[in-house]
Amino acid sequence: MRWRIIDYSENDAYMNMAIDEAISESIVKGAPPTIRFYGWKPSAVSIGYFQSLEHEVDIKHCADLGMDIVRRRTGGGAVYHDHQGEITYSVIGKEDLFPKDIIASYRLICGWIIDSLGLLGIKAEFKPINDIAVGEKKISGNAQTRRGGVLLQHGTILHSVDVDTMFSVLKVSDEKIKDKMIATVKERVTSVSQQKVISRDELYGALLSGFTKGKDFGLGTITDEERNRALELVEKRYLTKEWNAMR
Amino acid sequence: MRCEEKVKGGKLVCIEIVPKDGKAAKVRITGDFFLHPEDSINALEQSLEGVDLTSGEDEIAARLKKALGQAQLIGASPEDLARIFKRASS
């Protein structure tokens, strides 16, 4: 099985989610399994499929900061995607390429991230359900969906973390305040640059190595058909209030 | 009526109920859990609509399990949802 690797590119939040979905659709039609790396420009907030937009996000503050807000097709939590602070990936392929057990498939793909961090001398481990941690501190969050026989997992690897901005755009529930959330998150979240003096480019190089290790792969691009479909999905889904505010 | 709870494992689940004549007329389940396939959330919510607000947790959990069928709820359990439903409705 030959994998298609799509080099890092930056898009707005709507296009990023639309490209992941367009690739998923093309894989149903026979396109090769694909690993894509991307960034968010402008910075953005994504929320999980089941989350309430108004409960999770300070919509006005995001607008004031010029940030996009988008609902993902995947479950999980709200994420602040700092333009400079992280690298996001997606892994998309037919379900039969991956373990049937969902946690096992998270473990497999997260293992590629752990291998990548290992190349940088950072010892990380998988924390079920969907996190990767260095010690007790989270460094990567991941989310997966399986639709139409295709598995999509995307996630972020933190290069640097701006907890203050994160909590200015994400709302904090009473339950979370009980956990002394903000102070706790500063203690419970880490980033590659907090572990070692490593540039974002070095992190990306390690991710490319870790994700492709042992795979037959070729560097590819998004096809014109995928890009056109993504542009259509931006208009029909990811930019609409019906989608983003459906919960 | 609304209740949210961080369940065992750390996921947050929130249930909102619009009551009418002692029953749950409308139910909304939100949170950072996972559910495969995702569309099953509609069946879970609908299974609780029309439920008497005095129903016991066991009955509510049984309804949720039936609605869940082969779908996989990850990061929360039907029992968690039933408990949160009861807390929201009390």
Side-chain angles (χ1 to χ4, degrees):
Chain A
M1 179 57 68
R2 189 171 173 81
W3 288 75
R4 172 176 56 161
I5 309 298
I6 298 178
D7 199 13
Y8 179 88
S9 67
E10 293 177 345
N11 300 282
D12 66 33
Y14 317 107
M15 191 62 176
N16 272 334
M17 294 299 92
I19 291 172
D20 277 354
E21 183 168 356
I23 292 173
S24 300
E25 289 181 359
S26 71
I27 285 174
V28 172
K29 298 175 197 165
T34 298
I35 296 169
R36 180 170 85 94
F37 295 98
Y38 55 97
W40 306 68
K41 189 178 180 182
S43 297
V45 172
S46 75
I47 59 170
Y49 183 82
F50 305 106
Q51 291 190 294
S52 160
L53 174 64
E54 63 175 316
H55 290 157
E56 296 294 334
V57 185
D58 186 333
I59 299 167
K60 184 179 180 306
H61 192 54
C62 281
D64 290 344
L65 295 176
M67 282 187 198
D68 294 338
I69 306 169
V70 71
R71 182 180 298 277
R72 303 189 306 268
R73 296 168 74 219
T74 50
V79 181
Y80 164 56
H81 301 280
D82 187 295
H83 172 225
Q84 293 293 333
E86 59 165 64
I87 294 176
T88 303
Y89 75 89
S90 56
V91 172
I92 312 169
K94 289 195 171 162
E95 272 190 76
D96 57 13
L97 284 175
F98 304 94
K100 189 174 179 184
D101 179 78
I102 289 168
I103 302 297
S105 61
Y106 272 114
R107 186 183 298 277
L108 173 75
I109 297 170
C110 289
W112 304 344
I113 299 169
I114 292 166
D115 287 349
S116 305
L117 294 173
L119 293 172
L120 299 170
I122 298 171
K123 185 173 166 45
E125 59 182 329
F126 176 56
K127 296 279 189 185
I129 301 167
N130 56 318
D131 290 336
I132 296 171
V134 177
E136 293 303 312
K137 296 187 174 191
K138 178 175 172 175
I139 197 165
S140 168
N142 307 273
Q144 187 183 121
T145 183
R146 299 175 182 213
R147 299 178 197 222
V150 171
L151 179 152
L152 158 67
Q153 181 170 315
H154 45 203
T156 59
I157 300 96
L158 290 172
H159 178 258
S160 58
V161 60
D162 178 354
V163 175
D164 292 322
T165 300
M166 183 189 297
F167 281 97
S168 76
V169 293
L170 302 182
K171 286 186 178 173
V172 179
S173 71
D174 289 345
E175 280 289 324
K176 287 174 178 172
I177 287 171
K178 284 179 188 170
D179 285 349
K180 298 175 183 171
M181 191 69 173
I182 295 176
T184 304
V185 164
K186 283 183 175 172
E187 291 169 8
R188 286 191 182 171
V189 174
T190 189
S191 64
V192 168
S193 61
Q194 284 177 354
Q195 296 295 315
K196 293 217 164 191
V197 180
I198 289 167
S199 71
R200 207 157 163 271
D201 285 348
E202 288 173 299
L203 170 61
Y204 179 50
L207 289 168
L208 272 176
S209 298
F211 273 74
T212 55
K213 185 178 126 190
K215 293 184 184 69
D216 179 18
F217 69 94
L219 292 177
T221 57
I222 298 163
T223 64
D224 288 345
E225 187 182 346
E226 287 167 340
R227 181 164 296 282
N228 289 337
R229 176 59 177 150
L231 289 167
E232 191 175 53
L233 286 165
V234 166
E235 295 300 322
K236 287 187 173 174
R237 189 198 303 280
Y238 291 104
L239 207 47
T240 67
K241 188 177 178 185
E242 289 74 20
W243 172 259
N244 289 315
M246 75 175 176
R247 294 189 158 267
Chain B
M1 293 174 151
R2 179 173 185 268
C3 176
E4 67 178 21
E5 184 182 316
K6 194 179 266 198
V7 302
K8 189 179 174 188
K11 298 297 184 194
L12 194 75
V13 178
C14 176
I15 296 186
E16 293 171 273
I17 304 167
V18 178
K20 189 177 180 185
D21 301 330
K23 297 181 188 298
K26 175 84 180 160
V27 176
R28 175 61 52 98
I29 305 168
T30 58
D32 59 359
F33 52 88
F34 293 93
L35 176 62
H36 295 245
E38 286 79 2
D39 294 345
S40 308
I41 193 70
N42 298 321
L44 288 182
E45 290 173 344
Q46 285 162 13
S47 76
L48 299 179
E49 289 173 357
V51 166
D52 194 304
L53 294 174
T54 61
S55 301
E57 270 185 45
D58 289 348
E59 183 190 335
I60 294 162
R63 280 175 171 267
L64 288 163
K65 283 178 188 170
K66 187 178 175 188
L68 202 54
Q70 296 299 308
Q72 293 184 68
L73 182 60
I74 299 171
S77 67
E79 289 77 12
D80 290 329
L81 300 187
R83 182 180 64 255
I84 297 165
F85 180 91
K86 282 301 293 178
R87 284 183 59 194
S89 61
S90 60

